[in-house]
Amino acid sequence: MNLTPQFIIDASYFAAAFLFIYGLKRMSSPVTARSGIMVAGIGMLVAVLASFLYYFGVNEAALPHLGTNVVFAAVALFLGTAWAWWSGKRVAMTAMPQMVALYNGMGGGAAACIAAVELLRTTAVHQTIPLLLAVVGALIGAVSLSGSLIAWAKLDGRINGVWRIGGQQILNGIVFLATLAVAIYIVFVAHGHADPAIVAAFFIGALIFGVMMTMPIGGADMPVVISLYNAFTGLAVGFEGYVLQNPALMIAGMVVGSAGTLLTLLMAKAMNRSVSNVIFSNFGDGGGEQQGEIKGSQKPAEAGDAAINMRYASKVIIAPGYGLAVAQAQHKLYEFVKLLTDAGVEVKFAIHPVAGRMPGHMNVLLAEAGVPYDMIYDLEDINGEFKEADVAVVIGANDTVNPAARTNKSSPIYGMPILNVDQAKQVYVIKRGQGKGYSGVENELFFADNCNLVYGDAQKVMVAMIQAVKSLEGGH
Amino acid sequence: MDLATTLTGFVALYIFMLAAFTGYEIIGRVPSILHTPLMSGSNFVHGIVVVGAMYALLNATSLVEQIIGFAGVLLGAGNAAGGYVVTERMLEMFKPSDKKQPSGEQKKA
């Protein structure tokens, strides 16, 4: 066995594939999760460093350009890494979903680039199956790139609302079929030696389709879409890995492809939607025209009164939503919770599967504020306890606590599992104004007899609550 | 870059099948609290595409190929590095649950 460059490359890729799978496995438990990403990171480092050894094995046509190519590779590697490292360190935890979308889109773009180089190489001798996979991977990767960029822009507030035109789905279908026709031409008619203009048309078509597919989807559904594009990129990487005969890409891509698909299904299920429903039905705004009248009125309450009520309760359950994190109030909330627990109140956090912008996002945001694990409960574990709770507090959440999901069959969110906060003796809802939730559905809870609304910015409300409890202690 | 195609046909199918089951098994048993970091972590893993882009770039024979290859490496490196940083930042906050230490550090928002 000679220690040739190719052998070192192969061995490194094998190590990388092992470290990726082992790292992901470690990431599946909170205790070992952090070491998991480090293990996977070492795999990436090994694979990238070994890839410079391709220097010794390039094809003859590339030899005159080799010096430039290596410099290009090093510069691109440096710039991409530096930018991503810098942006990744700075991004706020609330903005994590769109950042994942952005990085994911870049991966899809890279897969599309690999295919583009392959399709533009005039000297290549193509076989049908690798060529087919190259084109399919390019299509998926390009859709993932432009679609992820739109998802990022929407979640980041750079594109507001939904953009929809009449006959959208027919138009989408036409763009998709046209792109597919060009792809079939490239593979089966031109055998991979199509005119560069046609190759360009194929990529432009795929990019446009990604934009058009994502634009009509409302913000509430974006997490499912990001997860779907994550799976797409994985598949694209796996297919391009086959084209390049690179097992590391094949394994990593396919592992992510299937894991991402499963994650997408789990997320859609938590939101009571099917994936096709998310992509084709345009729910996410404008719903609720056919709702029945809601009886009762919204009763406001003072933050201080609510706080003192909780101070003398024996059991309080808090249902936080994305609004809490937007107001950056999770630290103040935990400070308030500590005051309550010090006074002997039993406090629990109830997390809806889709609280925040992605499943588990709210756990990340609470962990950021230092809330320990054992105070945080999943929906199935806590829902039976609301009956025994004296006070339930809803902060910055809306659709995930709307009883219409249980009772109102005409509601767009009917059937979605919700936190049963309305069963508590007293409910306080802390919200900024009288707006509706992300789904655009009016919330019956706010009109219920046992519900009072504390209006105001969540952080200011928490400060007022902390003061109210503290002044109470000081008054003795 | 006309490779000696060794991973063809059924060998490739076997790899794809086993990898697909691996991914399914890993995610299937994960508690929902870790879904966001895991999505981010799997996002990092497909950043390995940068390696394929490096191969394409090193074998580039024309300016167009060099430009596209450069873009590929740039994007792939962004995927890998960005995916790593955000995943690591998220998982860093997941401290093992310790009942004796309910008061975690208060970071600045």
Side-chain angles (χ1 to χ4, degrees):
Chain A
M1 205 186 317
N2 290 323
L3 210 61
T4 59
Q6 189 59 45
F7 177 80
I8 298 173
I9 291 174
D10 288 341
S12 305
Y13 287 176
F14 180 77
F18 168 77
L19 291 170
F20 285 159
I21 294 172
Y22 182 61
L24 278 173
K25 179 77 207 151
R26 286 189 77 82
M27 265 187 258
S28 64
S29 154
V31 185
T32 54
R34 192 168 173 216
S35 65
I37 182 67
M38 287 172 172
V39 167
I42 292 169
M44 188 70 75
L45 204 60
V46 167
V48 170
L49 290 180
S51 298
F52 275 102
L53 293 175
Y54 280 135
Y55 182 86
F56 299 104
V58 294
N59 57 347
E60 257 173 58
L63 277 177
H65 308 277
L66 193 52
T68 330
N69 288 351
V70 171
V71 174
F72 267 34
V75 171
L77 211 53
F78 174 77
L79 287 180
T81 307
W83 172 80
W85 204 274
W86 175 77
S87 61
K89 284 283 183 203
R90 286 173 71 243
V91 63
M93 280 296 150
T94 42
M96 217 41 106
Q98 53 262 48
M99 222 52 209
V100 173
L102 191 59
Y103 297 140
N104 175 55
M106 294 173 79
C113 285
I114 293 173
V117 170
E118 191 71 5
L119 291 175
L120 290 173
R121 225 157 32 90
T122 44
T123 55
V125 182
H126 292 295
Q127 291 171 306
T128 307
I129 290 176
L131 185 61
L132 187 65
L133 283 182
V135 170
V136 171
L139 180 63
I140 300 172
V143 168
S144 175
L145 169 64
S146 60
S148 295
L149 281 178
I150 298 296
W152 166 77
K154 282 195 162 202
L155 285 178
D156 215 40
R158 283 163 207 264
I159 302 176
N160 287 315
V162 286
W163 173 90
R164 198 173 299 152
I165 50 175
Q168 171 92 37
Q169 279 169 36
I170 296 166
L171 195 63
N172 283 6
I174 290 170
V175 173
F176 180 71
L177 288 177
T179 310
L180 206 61
V182 179
I184 290 169
Y185 169 82
I186 291 172
V187 178
F188 294 106
V189 181
H191 299 290
H193 294 287
D195 191 79
I198 292 173
V199 176
F202 163 70
F203 280 101
I204 292 168
L207 289 171
I208 291 175
F209 178 69
V211 172
M212 292 180 62
M213 184 176 150
T214 322
M215 280 307 270
I217 299 172
D221 288 333
M222 242 359 129
V224 180
V225 176
I226 293 174
S227 178
L228 185 69
Y229 287 145
N230 187 37
F232 272 18
T233 303
L235 283 180
V237 171
F239 290 161
E240 300 308 331
Y242 179 81
V243 175
L244 298 180
Q245 289 291 299
N246 185 325
L249 260 69
M250 290 167 75
I251 292 170
M254 202 48 71
V255 165
V256 174
S258 77
T261 305
L262 180 61
L263 199 55
T264 310
L265 294 174
L266 289 175
M267 282 193 200
K269 199 175 145 209
M271 298 168 78
N272 195 37
R273 314 279 313 279
S274 73
V275 175
S276 67
N277 199 306
V278 166
I279 293 167
F280 298 116
S281 83
N282 303 336
F283 160 88
D285 73 330
E289 294 105 22
Q290 307 162 345
Q291 286 176 65
E293 284 290 302
I294 296 175
K295 295 190 185 76
S297 60
Q298 300 193 2
K299 297 165 286 297
E302 287 298 321
D305 297 344
I308 288 163
N309 213 340
M310 286 180 241
R311 163 69 180 73
Y312 289 108
S314 60
K315 183 168 186 171
V316 174
I317 300 178
I318 299 169
Y322 187 64
L324 171 77
V326 170
Q328 283 294 332
Q330 59 269 45
H331 300 88
K332 289 286 169 206
L333 171 65
Y334 186 49
E335 201 181 327
F336 175 66
V337 166
K338 276 191 283 190
L339 284 177
L340 292 183
T341 49
D342 288 347
V345 184
E346 184 189 0
V347 185
K348 290 181 175 175
F349 287 89
I351 308 286
H352 190 274
V354 294
R357 283 288 179 271
M358 289 194 285
H361 190 198
M362 188 49 66
N363 301 71
V364 174
L365 296 168
L366 289 178
E368 189 190 14
V371 177
Y373 258 81
D374 34 32
M375 291 178 84
I376 302 176
Y377 293 83
D378 282 343
L379 178 131
E380 308 91 65
D381 300 325
I382 194 99
N383 247 353
E385 292 190 33
F386 279 105
K387 283 194 241 36
E388 305 146 23
D390 301 295
V391 181
V393 191
V394 178
I395 308 175
N398 192 336
D399 296 327
T400 54
V401 295
N402 190 344
R406 281 200 311 259
T407 53
N408 184 353
K409 285 197 177 160
S410 65
S411 172
I413 60 169
Y414 178 73
M416 180 172 96
I418 59 155
L419 293 167
N420 298 328
V421 291
D422 55 321
Q423 293 173 354
K425 292 192 191 78
Q426 169 69 45
V427 183
Y428 288 110
V429 177
I430 299 169
K431 65 199 296 276
R432 255 180 318 184
Q434 306 198 337
K436 293 170 181 175
Y438 229 62
S439 68
V441 180
E442 192 69 80
N443 196 336
E444 288 173 22
L445 173 74
F446 304 159
F447 300 88
D449 289 336
N450 62 342
C451 178
N452 289 85
L453 287 97
V454 182
Y455 292 112
D457 171 77
Q459 188 159 349
K460 292 199 180 101
V461 170
M462 290 329 298
V463 170
M465 286 186 162
I466 291 167
Q467 275 167 356
V469 173
K470 275 187 177 162
S471 66
L472 200 68
E473 312 292 328
H476 283 295
Chain B
M1 142 164 88
D2 302 314
L3 295 140
T5 43
T6 48
L7 293 171
T8 49
F10 279 104
V11 179
L13 270 178
Y14 279 120
I15 292 180
F16 278 148
M17 178 191 73
L18 293 172
F21 270 107
T22 307
Y24 188 90
E25 281 300 309
I26 288 173
I27 291 276
R29 290 196 215 119
V30 171
S32 66
I33 55 162
L34 279 173
H35 277 174
T36 288
L38 222 91
M39 178 160 130
S40 178
S42 60
N43 177 42
F44 160 71
V45 165
H46 68 51
I48 187 69
V49 70
V50 67
V51 165
M54 281 175 74
Y55 182 84
L57 175 55
L58 288 179
N59 283 284
T61 51
S62 69
L63 185 62
V64 180
E65 287 172 31
Q66 283 175 328
I67 291 171
I68 298 173
F70 183 85
V73 175
L74 189 74
L75 291 170
N79 182 180
Y84 182 84
V85 171
V86 296
T87 310
E88 208 261 341
R89 273 187 60 196
M90 273 192 263
L91 292 175
E92 188 186 18
M93 297 180 317
F94 280 79
K95 301 256 153 58
S97 177
D98 187 341
K99 296 212 182 221
K100 288 292 119 199
Q101 282 186 319
S103 52
E105 59 189 307
Q106 293 262 326
K107 275 190 212 159
K108 270 207 138 182

